[in-house]
Structures are given as structure tokens and as C-alpha cells.
Amino acid sequence: MKVLGIETSCDESAAAIYCDKDGLLSHKVYSQTVHSEHGGVVPELAARDHIRKTLGLIEDALSEAKCSKDDVDAIAYTAGPGLAGALLVGSMMGKTIAYAWNKPSIAVNHMEGHLLAPMLEDSAPKPPFVALIVSGGHTMLVDVQQIGEYRLLGETVDDAAGEAFDKVARLLNLGKYTGSEVAKIAELGDKKRFKFPRPMTKTRNLDFSFSGLKTKVLYEYQSIENPVEQDKADIAWAFQEAVIETLVKKCKLALQDTRLNALVLAGGVGANKYLRQRLAEELGDNSVFYPRIEFCTDNAAMIAYAGWWNLSQGRKDLSLAVKVKPRWKLV
Ligand code: KG4
Ligand code: ZN
């Protein structure tokens, strides 16, 4: 079975073809740049850019996979969570293509896509495992007994980890307001100069909170007179360390509580090298599974895979109505 996946939930337009026999046949991503001068994603601009780019990406993904419309068995599209207008573009395209080609379609939960992204790798994890999903909008620990059977262990009570990274990037004026810029400059930081609190780590609670930490970073940075690049690097290092040590500690607790020994790391913050390194140090290389870096951040390969899995369980959309779920909860 070959599934065309479409992703347009935020500021990445993407298309991919997944085949259950041969694996991933192609995937294309376009990261929007229209938001750079606005200091954050502007929903209306995101939707308009998806309209401009997504069909071209679908055509490219089909041609790279050497697929015609007759080779595609189903269309999977992200229906939520995400920005309503952005989701509508991909959902409308997915539904329309399915109707025109007379194929089934399936609405995919973006977070389930992230969670299943490591399944695209040669060393795919086998449930049961604990999944840490850390993205721009979510921070969740999930007990996965089987694919499709999810139990929420903990989540953020305020900012998501990725959101905190984005806000610190903006505070430090790093050019691009994303966590990868914080991670880059953090490498040059003095590891001893600042030490920020690790929020909510004094109890066995598996929830997270990053908003107080973000405020601490703000006050510390504002107290520096005429900050230079080294000051920014020192702050970035201490912030990153506080977030990562908090995530690592909660992952260890979650594994203890569930008596499981495998951890899956997914979502944009999962691209952070220091997080990967610390998890491997604490849990051992063989216990941690993650997707390749490009499948941590938003992509359609994970949507095509999650769509295929749901279709294989007998699910599909029967209605012609285009419905998006901007707050669709995974659990
Ligand atoms: O999963 P994703 O692409 O989009 C959402 O579903 O939200 O995650 C994007 C988030 C952003 O907040 C970005 O700052 C963060 O992932 N991110 C990182 C890194 N690369 C991306 N955070 C920390 N370190 C990185 N290397
Ligand atoms: Zn995402």
C-alpha cells in the first residue's frame, strides 16, 4: 500500500510517499521564511504560503517516488493540532485529491505523526515504550503499550519546551527565533557562569513548567549591561542545560514508574544534540530511539506513516466534509 502524506499544520509545507513494502519512497519539505520579520509565525501568512507551495511539493514527491495517481492507494493529511487556516489548506488538498482520484483519505493527528516518526528508521522501537514528545506546542510524556494505545503520563502546565527555546532565541536576538539557534550559540557558552533552576524536579510529578525559567532568563539577561555575544552564549548554555536536565530527569522517572526500559524521543526539540547525548549517557545508547534530525521537526513522512498505520487498522474518512481540529488531543 502506498500513502501520500500531506503536512501543513504550522510553518512547514510537506509531502511524502510511504509504502508499507518498500518504506519511505520520497519526502519534500518547504520551511516558510515569510515570518522572519514578524518575530513569530503569523497564521494568515502561513496559510497563504501553504497554498502557494504544497501542490508543487506533492508533485515533486510523486515524481521522486516514480508514482502516478494510480499507484497511490490513499491520502493522509494532518487535521490537527495546529493553526486552523494552515490545517485547512492541507486538509482541503488531501480531501480534494482523494475525491478526484477516487481513493480513501485519512485525517492524521500531528502528534501521533511525531510519535511514530522513529518507526521510519532501521532501528525502529518496538512497544511498549515511553515517548517524550517535545515540540513547539507540546511537551508530553506518553506510555505507549501498543501503537494507538496511549496513556498520558505528564505534560507541560504552561509553555512547551520548544516554545521556551523560541522565546529565548528572541530575547537574545539570535536572528532566527528557533531552538536550533540557541543550541548553536550555547556551544560557545561558559558552562559555569550561570545556573538556572530545573522546574518541577523536586517531586515525582511528571508534569513540566518552563514559563518561570524563561522569566529567570529574561531577568538575568536584562541585568547585564551592554551584553555581548559571549554573554548571550553563557545564558543560552545555562538555559539549555536547565531544560535538558529537567527533561532527562522526568524521562528517567517515567521509565521507573512504568517499569519500561525503552524511550522514544520525538518532536522538534528532539533534534537537540545535547538532549540526545544526555539521554544516551543516562539511559544507555540501546534504550533511546529517535528519528533522524530532519524527521524530528515537521515533515510529511511521519504523516504518511501514521496515515498508513491508521488505514491498516481499518480507519478512513468517509465524509466529504473538510474538518480540522486545531486542538486535537492525542490523549
Ligand atoms: O515539531 P516541530 O517542528 O513543530 C511543532 O510541531 O511545534 O518543533 C519545532 C520546535 C521549535 O520550537 C524549535 O525551536 C524547536 O522545535 N527546535 C529545537 C531544535 N531544533 C528545533 N529546540 C532545541 N534544540 C534544537 N536543536
Ligand atoms: Zn510538529
Side-chain angles (χ1 to χ4, degrees):
M1 178 190 242
K2 291 193 178 79
V3 178
L4 162 65
I6 302 170
E7 158 63 35
T8 63
S9 66
C10 189
D11 57 345
E12 259 92 27
S13 317
I17 312 284
Y18 175 76
C19 169
D20 56 355
K21 264 208 332 269
D22 301 321
L24 188 66
L25 301 183
S26 64
H27 89 101
K28 299 280 160 198
V29 183
Y30 171 75
S31 293
Q32 300 182 343
T33 54
V34 283
H35 312 287
S36 54
E37 65 207 68
H38 301 282
V41 177
V42 182
E44 177 63 20
L45 295 183
R48 286 189 219 169
D49 222 17
H50 287 311
I51 293 172
R52 276 191 286 268
K53 291 294 188 322
T54 313
L55 270 183
L57 293 165
I58 293 172
E59 282 168 354
D60 291 350
L62 285 166
S63 99
E64 192 175 301
K66 300 194 173 42
C67 281
S68 72
K69 71 179 171 62
D70 298 330
D71 301 317
V72 173
D73 298 292
I75 291 95
Y77 58 91
T78 303
L83 303 170
L87 289 166
L88 271 169
V89 178
S91 301
M92 182 72 80
M93 282 180 189
K95 282 263 175 181
T96 309
I97 293 170
Y99 180 71
W101 292 359
N102 198 20
K103 313 275 165 153
S105 69
I106 178 101
V108 171
N109 181 302
H110 181 81
M111 303 318 290
E112 185 170 46
H114 275 305
L115 196 158
L116 298 182
M119 299 295 177
L120 292 161
E121 304 304 334
D122 290 339
S123 59
K126 288 199 180 60
F129 52 72
V130 168
L132 172 69
I133 314 177
V134 265
S135 69
H138 294 79
T139 304
M140 292 195 273
L141 273 165
V142 183
D143 175 349
V144 181
Q145 285 299 318
Q146 293 181 44
I147 299 183
E149 196 183 310
Y150 310 126
R151 183 170 66 96
L152 187 67
L153 299 169
E155 65 185 333
T156 183
V157 297
D158 43 53
D159 289 3
E163 189 181 354
F165 265 99
D166 297 344
K167 286 177 179 167
V168 168
R170 193 175 318 159
L171 169 73
L172 301 179
N173 202 8
L174 297 182
K176 280 196 260 161
Y177 303 145
T178 159
S180 53
E181 294 298 308
V182 177
K184 207 192 299 168
I185 193 171
E187 283 178 22
L188 310 170
D190 174 344
K191 299 188 169 46
K192 299 230 166 71
R193 180 165 166 204
F194 299 109
K195 184 144 178 127
F196 292 127
R198 281 93 169 103
M200 292 179 79
T201 50
K202 296 227 162 70
T203 62
R204 288 192 70 86
N205 185 308
L206 293 176
D207 284 337
F208 304 87
S209 162
F210 294 110
S211 149
L213 168 64
K214 182 194 64 190
T215 310
K216 270 258 181 225
V217 173
L218 171 73
Y219 289 156
E220 194 69 61
Y221 185 63
Q222 282 177 341
S223 73
I224 303 170
E225 236 178 274
N226 304 321
V228 293
E229 287 303 292
Q230 189 60 51
D231 296 314
K232 292 185 184 186
D234 298 346
I235 293 258
W237 166 262
F239 162 76
Q240 174 176 265
E241 194 196 26
V243 174
I244 302 297
E245 293 308 328
T246 304
L247 294 175
V248 171
K249 179 149 192 217
K250 302 261 174 183
C251 287
K252 284 175 79 176
L253 275 179
L255 290 169
Q256 280 168 13
D257 285 0
T258 54
R259 295 170 197 267
L260 294 173
N261 45 32
L263 181 88
V264 160
L265 173 63
V269 182
N272 187 284
K273 286 198 199 116
Y274 183 62
L275 174 58
R276 290 173 174 225
Q277 179 196 320
R278 289 290 297 123
L279 284 172
E281 280 166 9
E282 292 293 325
L283 305 174
D285 263 340
N286 298 332
S287 306
V288 191
F289 298 84
Y290 30 73
R292 69 198 85 162
I293 300 274
E294 63 190 312
F295 293 164
C296 283
T297 45
D298 290 350
N299 65 87
M302 66 186 196
I303 302 304
Y305 182 90
W308 162 76
W309 186 82
N310 277 288
L311 289 156
S312 76
Q313 303 300 300
R315 293 186 200 112
K316 61 182 166 189
D317 301 345
L318 296 171
S319 152
L320 281 180
V322 177
K323 263 202 201 144
V324 295
K325 304 182 208 171
R327 292 176 184 273
W328 189 0
K329 279 197 179 297
L330 177 65
V331 267

Short mmCIF file of all heavy atoms in Angstrom, two decimals, residues 116-151:
data_model
loop_
_atom_site.label_atom_id
_atom_site.label_comp_id
_atom_site.label_asym_id
_atom_site.label_seq_id
_atom_site.Cartn_x
_atom_site.Cartn_y
_atom_site.Cartn_z
N LEU A 116 5.34 8.57 15.93
CA LEU A 116 5.65 7.41 15.10
C LEU A 116 6.84 7.64 14.15
O LEU A 116 7.27 6.71 13.47
CB LEU A 116 4.41 6.99 14.29
CG LEU A 116 3.20 6.55 15.14
CD1 LEU A 116 2.04 6.12 14.24
CD2 LEU A 116 3.59 5.42 16.08
N ALA A 117 7.37 8.88 14.13
CA ALA A 117 8.49 9.17 13.20
C ALA A 117 9.67 8.20 13.38
O ALA A 117 10.28 7.79 12.37
CB ALA A 117 8.94 10.62 13.36
N PRO A 118 10.02 7.76 14.60
CA PRO A 118 11.16 6.83 14.73
C PRO A 118 10.90 5.48 14.05
O PRO A 118 11.83 4.72 13.81
CB PRO A 118 11.31 6.65 16.25
CG PRO A 118 10.60 7.80 16.87
CD PRO A 118 9.50 8.16 15.93
N MET A 119 9.63 5.19 13.74
CA MET A 119 9.30 3.92 13.07
C MET A 119 9.83 3.89 11.64
O MET A 119 9.85 2.83 11.00
CB MET A 119 7.78 3.73 13.02
CG MET A 119 7.15 3.64 14.37
SD MET A 119 7.75 2.16 15.24
CE MET A 119 6.95 2.36 16.80
N LEU A 120 10.23 5.06 11.13
CA LEU A 120 10.75 5.12 9.76
C LEU A 120 12.23 4.73 9.71
O LEU A 120 12.80 4.62 8.64
CB LEU A 120 10.58 6.54 9.19
CG LEU A 120 9.13 6.97 8.93
CD1 LEU A 120 9.02 8.48 8.82
CD2 LEU A 120 8.61 6.29 7.66
N GLU A 121 12.83 4.56 10.88
CA GLU A 121 14.28 4.26 10.91
C GLU A 121 14.51 2.74 10.92
O GLU A 121 13.63 1.97 11.30
CB GLU A 121 14.90 4.89 12.17
CG GLU A 121 14.69 6.39 12.29
CD GLU A 121 15.18 7.17 11.06
OE1 GLU A 121 16.09 6.70 10.35
OE2 GLU A 121 14.62 8.24 10.80
N ASP A 122 15.75 2.33 10.54
CA ASP A 122 16.08 0.89 10.56
C ASP A 122 15.97 0.33 11.97
O ASP A 122 15.53 -0.78 12.18
CB ASP A 122 17.51 0.67 10.04
CG ASP A 122 17.57 0.98 8.54
OD1 ASP A 122 16.50 0.94 7.91
OD2 ASP A 122 18.67 1.28 8.05
N SER A 123 16.41 1.15 12.95
CA SER A 123 16.35 0.68 14.34
C SER A 123 15.06 1.19 14.99
O SER A 123 15.08 1.94 15.95
CB SER A 123 17.55 1.21 15.12
OG SER A 123 17.52 2.62 15.07
N ALA A 124 13.92 0.77 14.43
CA ALA A 124 12.62 1.25 14.94
C ALA A 124 12.35 0.62 16.31
O ALA A 124 12.65 -0.55 16.52
CB ALA A 124 11.52 0.88 13.97
N PRO A 125 11.79 1.42 17.23
CA PRO A 125 11.46 0.86 18.55
C PRO A 125 10.24 -0.06 18.48
O PRO A 125 9.40 0.10 17.61
CB PRO A 125 11.13 2.12 19.36
CG PRO A 125 10.63 3.10 18.35
CD PRO A 125 11.38 2.83 17.08
N LYS A 126 10.21 -1.00 19.41
CA LYS A 126 9.01 -1.87 19.50
C LYS A 126 8.30 -1.56 20.81
O LYS A 126 8.93 -1.57 21.86
CB LYS A 126 9.44 -3.33 19.51
CG LYS A 126 9.93 -3.80 18.17
CD LYS A 126 9.92 -5.34 18.09
CE LYS A 126 10.40 -5.81 16.75
NZ LYS A 126 11.78 -5.39 16.44
N PRO A 127 6.98 -1.29 20.76
CA PRO A 127 6.26 -1.03 22.01
C PRO A 127 6.31 -2.29 22.90
O PRO A 127 6.46 -3.39 22.36
CB PRO A 127 4.83 -0.76 21.55
CG PRO A 127 4.91 -0.53 20.07
CD PRO A 127 6.12 -1.23 19.58
N PRO A 128 6.20 -2.17 24.22
CA PRO A 128 5.88 -0.93 24.92
C PRO A 128 7.10 -0.05 25.13
O PRO A 128 8.21 -0.54 25.27
CB PRO A 128 5.35 -1.44 26.27
CG PRO A 128 6.08 -2.74 26.49
CD PRO A 128 6.28 -3.33 25.14
N PHE A 129 6.86 1.27 25.14
CA PHE A 129 7.92 2.23 25.46
C PHE A 129 7.30 3.51 26.00
O PHE A 129 6.07 3.69 25.93
CB PHE A 129 8.79 2.52 24.23
CG PHE A 129 8.04 2.92 22.97
CD1 PHE A 129 7.44 4.18 22.87
CD2 PHE A 129 7.97 2.06 21.89
CE1 PHE A 129 6.77 4.56 21.70
CE2 PHE A 129 7.29 2.43 20.72
CZ PHE A 129 6.69 3.67 20.63
N VAL A 130 8.17 4.37 26.56
CA VAL A 130 7.74 5.71 26.96
C VAL A 130 8.16 6.66 25.85
O VAL A 130 9.27 6.53 25.33
CB VAL A 130 8.39 6.13 28.30
CG1 VAL A 130 8.17 7.62 28.57
CG2 VAL A 130 7.84 5.30 29.45
N ALA A 131 7.28 7.58 25.46
CA ALA A 131 7.65 8.57 24.44
C ALA A 131 7.69 9.95 25.06
O ALA A 131 6.77 10.34 25.78
CB ALA A 131 6.64 8.54 23.30
N LEU A 132 8.79 10.65 24.80
CA LEU A 132 8.87 12.07 25.15
C LEU A 132 8.65 12.84 23.85
O LEU A 132 9.47 12.76 22.93
CB LEU A 132 10.24 12.41 25.74
CG LEU A 132 10.48 13.92 25.96
CD1 LEU A 132 9.59 14.47 27.07
CD2 LEU A 132 11.95 14.22 26.28
N ILE A 133 7.54 13.57 23.77
CA ILE A 133 7.27 14.37 22.57
C ILE A 133 7.47 15.82 22.94
O ILE A 133 6.74 16.37 23.78
CB ILE A 133 5.84 14.15 22.04
CG1 ILE A 133 5.50 12.66 22.01
CG2 ILE A 133 5.70 14.74 20.64
CD1 ILE A 133 4.07 12.37 21.57
N VAL A 134 8.49 16.42 22.34
CA VAL A 134 8.84 17.80 22.68
C VAL A 134 8.87 18.65 21.41
O VAL A 134 9.79 18.55 20.61
CB VAL A 134 10.22 17.89 23.40
CG1 VAL A 134 10.08 17.90 24.89
CG2 VAL A 134 11.17 16.77 22.98
N SER A 135 7.84 19.47 21.25
CA SER A 135 7.76 20.27 20.03
C SER A 135 7.54 21.74 20.39
O SER A 135 7.68 22.13 21.55
CB SER A 135 6.63 19.74 19.15
OG SER A 135 5.39 20.02 19.77
N GLY A 136 7.18 22.53 19.37
CA GLY A 136 6.95 23.96 19.62
C GLY A 136 5.68 24.20 20.43
O GLY A 136 5.57 25.18 21.15
N GLY A 137 4.73 23.29 20.34
CA GLY A 137 3.45 23.50 21.02
C GLY A 137 3.17 22.50 22.13
O GLY A 137 2.22 22.68 22.89
N HIS A 138 3.97 21.44 22.23
CA HIS A 138 3.68 20.37 23.20
C HIS A 138 4.92 19.87 23.91
O HIS A 138 6.00 19.86 23.33
CB HIS A 138 3.03 19.17 22.48
CG HIS A 138 1.68 19.47 21.92
ND1 HIS A 138 1.52 20.16 20.74
CD2 HIS A 138 0.44 19.22 22.38
CE1 HIS A 138 0.23 20.30 20.50
NE2 HIS A 138 -0.45 19.74 21.48
N THR A 139 4.72 19.44 25.14
CA THR A 139 5.75 18.70 25.88
C THR A 139 4.98 17.61 26.62
O THR A 139 4.20 17.91 27.51
CB THR A 139 6.47 19.60 26.90
OG1 THR A 139 7.00 20.72 26.19
CG2 THR A 139 7.60 18.87 27.59
N MET A 140 5.16 16.36 26.20
CA MET A 140 4.35 15.28 26.76
C MET A 140 5.19 14.04 27.00
O MET A 140 6.07 13.72 26.19
CB MET A 140 3.29 14.84 25.74
CG MET A 140 2.22 15.81 25.42
SD MET A 140 0.87 14.93 24.58
CE MET A 140 1.39 15.00 22.93
N LEU A 141 4.87 13.35 28.08
CA LEU A 141 5.41 12.01 28.29
C LEU A 141 4.22 11.05 28.15
O LEU A 141 3.18 11.25 28.78
CB LEU A 141 6.00 11.90 29.69
CG LEU A 141 7.45 12.33 29.82
CD1 LEU A 141 7.82 12.53 31.27
CD2 LEU A 141 8.41 11.34 29.15
N VAL A 142 4.39 10.06 27.28
CA VAL A 142 3.27 9.16 26.97
C VAL A 142 3.71 7.71 27.14
O VAL A 142 4.81 7.33 26.71
CB VAL A 142 2.81 9.39 25.50
CG1 VAL A 142 1.61 8.52 25.17
CG2 VAL A 142 2.48 10.85 25.25
N ASP A 143 2.86 6.93 27.79
CA ASP A 143 3.08 5.49 27.92
C ASP A 143 2.45 4.84 26.69
O ASP A 143 1.25 4.96 26.45
CB ASP A 143 2.37 5.04 29.21
CG ASP A 143 2.42 3.53 29.41
OD1 ASP A 143 2.81 2.80 28.48
OD2 ASP A 143 2.05 3.08 30.51
N VAL A 144 3.29 4.20 25.87
CA VAL A 144 2.79 3.58 24.64
C VAL A 144 2.85 2.06 24.81
O VAL A 144 3.92 1.47 24.68
CB VAL A 144 3.64 4.03 23.42
CG1 VAL A 144 3.12 3.40 22.13
CG2 VAL A 144 3.66 5.55 23.31
N GLN A 145 1.73 1.45 25.13
CA GLN A 145 1.72 -0.01 25.30
C GLN A 145 1.70 -0.68 23.92
O GLN A 145 2.34 -1.71 23.72
CB GLN A 145 0.50 -0.43 26.12
CG GLN A 145 0.65 -0.12 27.61
CD GLN A 145 1.83 -0.84 28.25
OE1 GLN A 145 2.08 -2.01 27.98
NE2 GLN A 145 2.59 -0.12 29.08
N GLN A 146 0.97 -0.07 23.01
CA GLN A 146 0.95 -0.51 21.61
C GLN A 146 0.75 0.74 20.77
O GLN A 146 0.25 1.73 21.29
CB GLN A 146 -0.27 -1.38 21.34
CG GLN A 146 -0.27 -2.69 22.03
CD GLN A 146 -1.52 -3.46 21.65
OE1 GLN A 146 -1.92 -3.52 20.50
NE2 GLN A 146 -2.15 -4.04 22.65
N ILE A 147 1.06 0.67 19.49
CA ILE A 147 0.76 1.83 18.65
C ILE A 147 -0.76 2.02 18.68
O ILE A 147 -1.51 1.06 18.52
CB ILE A 147 1.25 1.62 17.20
CG1 ILE A 147 2.77 1.43 17.21
CG2 ILE A 147 0.89 2.82 16.34
CD1 ILE A 147 3.38 1.29 15.85
N GLY A 148 -1.18 3.25 18.95
CA GLY A 148 -2.61 3.53 19.02
C GLY A 148 -3.16 3.46 20.44
O GLY A 148 -4.28 3.91 20.69
N GLU A 149 -2.36 2.92 21.37
CA GLU A 149 -2.83 2.81 22.76
C GLU A 149 -1.94 3.70 23.62
O GLU A 149 -0.84 3.30 24.00
CB GLU A 149 -2.74 1.35 23.20
CG GLU A 149 -3.56 1.06 24.44
CD GLU A 149 -3.35 -0.40 24.88
OE1 GLU A 149 -3.48 -1.31 24.04
OE2 GLU A 149 -3.05 -0.60 26.06
N TYR A 150 -2.42 4.91 23.90
CA TYR A 150 -1.59 5.91 24.55
C TYR A 150 -2.17 6.33 25.91
O TYR A 150 -3.37 6.52 26.04
CB TYR A 150 -1.47 7.16 23.66
CG TYR A 150 -1.08 6.85 22.23
CD1 TYR A 150 -1.84 7.29 21.15
CD2 TYR A 150 0.05 6.10 21.97
CE1 TYR A 150 -1.49 6.99 19.84
CE2 TYR A 150 0.42 5.79 20.66
CZ TYR A 150 -0.36 6.24 19.61
OH TYR A 150 0.00 5.92 18.32
N ARG A 151 -1.26 6.50 26.89
CA ARG A 151 -1.69 6.99 28.21
C ARG A 151 -0.78 8.16 28.57
O ARG A 151 0.45 8.03 28.51
CB ARG A 151 -1.54 5.87 29.24
CG ARG A 151 -2.02 6.26 30.63
CD ARG A 151 -2.07 5.02 31.53
NE ARG A 151 -0.75 4.47 31.79
CZ ARG A 151 -0.01 4.73 32.86
NH1 ARG A 151 -0.45 5.55 33.79
NH2 ARG A 151 1.18 4.16 33.01
#
